[in-house]
Amino acid sequence: MASACDSPVDDIEDMVTSHDPTPHERQFARRNIVPRPRKHKLQPAGEELQTDSVIPGTQKIWVRTWGCSHNSSDGEYMAGQLAASGYKITENPADADLWLLNSCTVKNPAEDHFRNSIKKAQEQNKKVVVAGCVPQAQPRTDYLKELSIIGVQQIDRVVEVVDEAIKGHSVRLLGQKKEKGKRLGGARLDLPKIRKNPLIEIISINTGCLNACTYCKTKHARGDLASYSIEELVERARQSFQEGVCEIWLTSEDTGAYGRDIGTDLPSLLWELVKEIPEGAMLRLGMTNPPYILEHLEEMGRILQHPRVYSFLHVPVQSASDSVLMDMKREYCCADFRRVVDFLKERVPGITIATDIICGFPGETDEDFEQTMELVRQYRFPSLFINQFYPRPGTPAAKMEQVPAHVKKQRTKELSALFHTYKPYDHKIGERQRVLVTEESFDSQHYVAHNKFYEQVLVPKKPEFKGKMIEVDIYEAGKHYMKGQPVEDARVFTPSIAQPLQKGQVSGLPQMIPKP
């Protein structure tokens, strides 16, 4: 299968060389600096001593991330390195001296929020460093002029960039990680990290992809497929469990393509990872496109039935029209998607299949859209991500003849209305389920748990349930959730093999506890 076109952005203004110290060497050097006395000429009376009044490493940093779980993991790594270097990570943007804005380029609204945040920071006289897919893909954009940039493969150098930005300098690191001429998956996985949720570890198994979708801007930033080795990923999972994590999310632009560049594959990785998962802990597999998962359906069916792997798979179809899929250059037809879904539903009873659909792609006719509606009527996906098409600058789809805005909007409304006509969980009322409790609900009234099929179950907000596997009786169901009543006298199981880190504590550096 042909790989995607090269990124239009060269490695500009890149300060990376093969002789640069590693992140660990830089951090070790920071902790082991021994001041030496210097001889100075006496300062003439009345003359002020000229000194640099800005000392990097003491300021407060606010980190804001948009987009996918891969981007979230990058943001966690950057926060961890900054905290390990002495910076204070704050959740209050008003208190921060510098805003680190980690962007997403998938849709126009996400970039609009990013651009507005830059403007807001500048209005408040905050220092700004930008990261993520937007500046990587289009660093010469007007609103990024004179800002410091951290490329998606340079997150291990965030401390250097922030140091310079604090001093008023502009630094841009946009290069690719390479070893012996081969592109690597990115920065090392054992870097310091602050998990947004101390119970959940997000592991990027590869970066980039093998596709060339005509609507995708992320390809310009993340590039072609580059996978981490199985050994690196297993070691990262092992370290995470030793820090009290009870749930691992595997993420990338396309998990199904994992390993094709290094002579291995996704099932081989997953079988090694499940050996490391403690009883009661769970693994969630991230998004995979249909072409590559087709090659591993038998193995994937077995893996998704494993008791410590969620029976859940996110497979974006984008459209049920083969004509539209061809214009998107998705490299599969709707029958391929159906084959994946039908096979997994048969082999993994109860499996949750999540999918994505784009409404109003250029050239989409009423007949094309009706095929997509019929697909949703047939499969009644419990998790459906509906996106109105936005042309992204520099993509082939942006140059195609566009569907009128009012038509795109109407189709998005029609599909959303169809999605809300069915209730996927009503038939589960009365069931007894085992669920893993990992988060707090948005309204702060419940804890959020997930059952084997990664369906959301709200449970009472009792501290003794957090991070535990519990049994509940389902007594209510909504469109996106169920509610469960804990079974009296049932065993509350602790899957974590160690005490979870405190919120804000740095992974890999147990002694690092957030400053009061």
Side-chain angles (χ1 to χ4, degrees):
M1 207 167 292
S3 62
C5 58
D6 295 331
S7 167
V9 180
D10 295 327
D11 298 339
I12 64 170
E13 302 173 89
D14 191 0
M15 299 165 61
V16 181
T17 75
S18 60
H19 304 293
D20 286 343
T22 67
H24 279 299
E25 289 168 342
R26 285 193 291 273
Q27 288 161 10
F28 180 81
R30 279 177 171 269
R31 295 194 296 268
N32 291 274
I33 294 174
V34 179
R36 295 183 179 179
R38 293 183 62 185
K39 294 182 179 179
H40 295 280
K41 292 182 180 180
L42 290 175
Q43 200 74 13
E47 185 174 334
E48 292 185 4
L49 180 65
Q50 298 298 311
T51 62
D52 188 347
S53 60
V54 178
I55 304 174
T58 61
Q59 289 77 16
K60 293 181 180 179
I61 312 293
W62 181 58
V63 182
R64 172 74 163 91
T65 294
W66 291 265
C68 65
S69 54
H70 191 165
N71 228 31
S72 296
S73 178
D74 286 352
E76 292 179 351
Y77 273 123
M78 289 190 284
Q81 292 170 84
L82 290 167
S85 187
Y87 288 102
K88 170 68 187 303
I89 306 302
T90 179
E91 295 185 0
N92 185 350
D95 286 347
D97 301 289
L98 180 143
W99 289 12
L100 172 55
L101 304 175
N102 188 23
S103 62
C104 171
T105 192
V106 172
K107 294 187 286 187
N108 289 3
E111 184 173 349
D112 290 342
H113 285 301
F114 170 64
R115 182 171 55 246
N116 291 337
S117 293
I118 293 173
K119 183 179 179 182
K120 186 174 180 180
Q122 292 170 333
E123 289 171 350
Q124 297 180 30
N125 295 316
K126 306 289 187 183
K127 303 285 187 183
V128 180
V129 171
V130 295
C133 291
V134 171
Q136 180 73 52
Q138 48 196 60
R140 296 183 179 92
T141 300
D142 284 345
Y143 69 86
L144 298 178
K145 283 182 178 178
E146 300 182 4
L147 293 180
S148 288
I149 295 176
I150 304 163
V152 295
Q153 286 211 321
Q154 298 296 327
I155 61 172
D156 57 337
R157 304 192 67 177
V158 62
V159 173
E160 297 170 68
V161 176
V162 168
D163 282 354
E164 293 305 312
I166 288 291
K167 291 188 286 188
H169 304 153
S170 177
V171 179
R172 296 186 165 204
L173 301 181
L174 293 161
Q176 304 293 324
K177 298 286 186 195
K178 294 182 179 180
E179 186 175 90
K180 298 179 181 178
K182 181 176 175 59
R183 184 166 176 262
L184 301 178
R188 292 208 322 270
L189 296 174
D190 61 350
L191 295 170
K193 184 176 194 179
I194 296 179
R195 298 184 184 96
K196 185 175 181 180
N197 183 337
L199 298 174
I200 298 175
E201 166 70 2
I202 306 171
I203 303 179
S204 302
I205 63 174
N206 55 266
T207 190
C209 68
L210 293 174
N211 300 328
C213 300
T214 54
Y215 57 82
C216 182
K217 188 72 173 178
T218 305
K219 178 75 177 187
H220 297 180
R222 298 282 182 179
D224 290 332
L225 180 70
S227 304
Y228 288 98
S229 70
I230 289 179
E231 293 74 22
E232 287 177 279
L233 294 164
V234 168
E235 180 56 36
R236 181 63 196 177
R238 188 179 294 128
Q239 178 191 339
S240 301
F241 290 126
Q242 290 168 351
E243 293 176 336
V245 162
C246 62
E247 186 170 289
I248 282 184
W249 298 355
L250 300 185
T251 184
S252 77
E253 283 65 59
D254 186 354
T255 60
Y258 170 79
R260 293 173 70 94
D261 57 320
I262 58 173
T264 187
D265 55 39
L266 181 62
S268 298
L269 169 64
L270 294 175
W271 285 126
E272 290 301 314
L273 283 172
V274 295
K275 296 176 184 176
E276 304 295 330
I277 304 174
E279 182 184 355
M282 297 296 289
L283 181 147
R284 190 192 80 176
L285 183 59
M287 187 273 289
T288 176
N289 284 311
Y292 306 112
I293 205 68
L294 273 168
E295 300 175 20
H296 306 299
L297 281 180
E298 289 280 355
E299 282 289 280
M300 292 305 300
R302 286 193 286 271
I303 290 167
L304 292 170
Q305 291 183 76
H306 193 284
R308 294 191 288 278
V309 177
Y310 285 118
S311 297
F312 166 89
L313 200 60
H314 179 192
V315 189
V317 65
Q318 305 300 7
S319 173
S321 162
D322 288 346
S323 173
V324 172
L325 291 173
M326 185 175 295
D327 288 342
M328 290 178 173
K329 288 194 174 180
R330 289 291 287 171
E331 300 186 1
Y332 59 86
C333 61
C334 188
D336 293 329
F337 174 81
R338 289 176 181 273
R339 181 183 164 204
V340 171
V341 176
D342 292 344
F343 181 92
L344 291 176
K345 280 181 169 290
E346 178 186 345
R347 295 297 179 90
V348 189
I351 187 173
T352 296
I353 301 291
T355 196
D356 300 2
I357 289 174
I358 295 174
C359 296
F361 186 81
E364 182 186 63
T365 65
D366 290 342
E367 292 76 17
D368 294 327
F369 179 65
E370 178 53 34
Q371 291 178 46
T372 299
M373 293 282 283
E374 184 54 38
L375 184 78
V376 175
R377 290 189 196 103
Q378 178 183 350
Y379 287 100
R380 298 165 68 92
F381 302 102
S383 182
L384 179 62
F385 302 96
I386 301 169
N387 301 290
Q388 181 176 317
F389 175 74
Y390 289 97
R392 300 297 290 130
T395 62
K399 300 174 184 177
M400 299 177 182
E401 185 174 351
Q402 303 296 306
V403 171
H406 72 278
V407 175
K408 291 192 291 187
K409 188 173 182 179
Q410 180 60 32
R411 288 176 183 170
T412 303
K413 281 185 174 181
E414 287 182 30
L415 185 56
S416 297
L418 171 60
F419 175 60
H420 284 92
T421 60
Y422 57 87
K423 296 181 179 179
Y425 305 129
D426 280 5
H427 67 286
K428 299 204 173 195
I429 294 175
E431 286 187 1
R432 179 162 293 185
Q433 301 181 354
R434 292 181 74 215
V435 297
L436 180 59
V437 184
T438 55
E439 304 173 66
E440 186 177 289
S441 62
F442 286 117
D443 63 6
S444 300
Q445 300 302 306
H446 300 86
Y447 278 150
V448 178
H450 293 90
N451 61 20
K452 176 67 168 69
F453 310 107
Y454 203 68
E455 296 164 334
Q456 183 171 272
V457 180
L458 302 180
V459 301
K461 190 178 175 182
K462 295 183 178 180
E464 62 267 28
F465 293 157
K466 190 76 175 285
K468 304 295 193 294
M469 180 77 76
I470 64 174
E471 270 194 311
V472 298
D473 290 326
I474 302 301
Y475 67 90
E476 183 181 325
K479 177 63 179 174
H480 302 286
Y481 66 89
M482 291 170 274
K483 286 185 178 180
Q485 181 63 39
V487 177
E488 287 188 26
D489 302 323
R491 182 187 178 201
V492 175
F493 186 77
T494 304
S496 298
I497 60 175
Q499 183 68 27
L501 301 182
Q502 297 179 35
K503 188 172 177 62
Q505 191 171 352
V506 183
S507 166
L509 301 174
Q511 75 284 4
M512 291 292 295
I513 297 175
K515 298 174 183 177

